[in-house]
Amino acid sequence: MDTAMNELKAKIQDDPYLKYLGITLDELEKGRAVCSLTVTKDMMNFLNFTHGGLIFSLADVAFSAASNSDHLPSCALDVSGSFLKSAAVGDRVTAEAKLIHTTKRTGVYRMDVRNNGELIATFNGTVFRRV
């Protein structure tokens, strides 16, 4: 990993929101990132399902890391997705973001969230690349 990528990784890992949620940046390469967290009791909603905001946050962190590894700065324009299943307390949930398409000004990424290899949510996001 080159110096610029190491600096970006350190900056991402120092983000207070990531620390608050316990998200780790497990892999970072150009156009791709993998993040994970362990679900705690405090992350469940009133129906005892993993809170959708938590799953979205995990995907969003992977999205941000992957898109900024391609072009710094990249800012989200939109994200849409589907929640397919929940996770349980103690599960280690992983989000992988991958570049799907890019132009000089935009990038499209897919973010898959998995629990023990099983897809539990999927998102697509577009970023604007500031020149």
Side-chain angles (χ1 to χ4, degrees):
M1 192 178 295
D2 67 12
T3 303
M5 194 69 77
N6 281 330
E7 289 175 2
L8 177 62
K9 187 173 183 176
K11 192 172 188 175
I12 293 166
Q13 290 172 321
D14 197 39
D15 185 295
Y17 189 62
L18 272 69
K19 290 178 181 180
Y20 176 75
L21 292 176
I23 295 174
T24 60
L25 177 60
D26 303 323
E27 299 176 36
L28 182 64
E29 57 192 63
K30 188 173 180 175
R32 181 178 171 275
V34 177
C35 299
S36 61
L37 63 77
T38 300
V39 177
T40 67
K41 181 180 168 243
D42 294 336
M43 297 171 175
M44 306 305 277
N45 67 20
F46 67 95
L47 296 171
N48 205 35
F49 294 120
T50 311
H51 201 290
L54 175 75
I55 300 301
F56 179 82
S57 287
L58 180 62
D60 188 50
V61 169
F63 175 39
S64 178
S67 63
N68 280 284
S69 72
D70 271 345
H71 182 97
L72 191 61
S74 291
C75 303
L77 290 173
D78 70 27
V79 178
S80 62
S82 298
F83 299 94
L84 309 172
K85 292 188 119 183
S86 186
V89 172
D91 287 345
R92 187 80 180 163
V93 179
T94 302
E96 178 181 28
K98 289 184 188 177
L99 176 66
I100 302 301
H101 177 75
T102 190
T103 68
K104 287 182 180 181
R105 295 279 188 173
T106 63
V108 177
Y109 292 79
R110 179 177 172 122
M111 295 79 71
D112 287 335
V113 182
R114 297 182 185 279
N115 180 19
N116 294 321
E118 183 176 14
L119 189 65
I120 64 169
T122 186
F123 302 91
N124 288 305
T126 304
V127 294
F128 174 72
R129 302 190 188 285
R130 290 182 32 200
V131 181

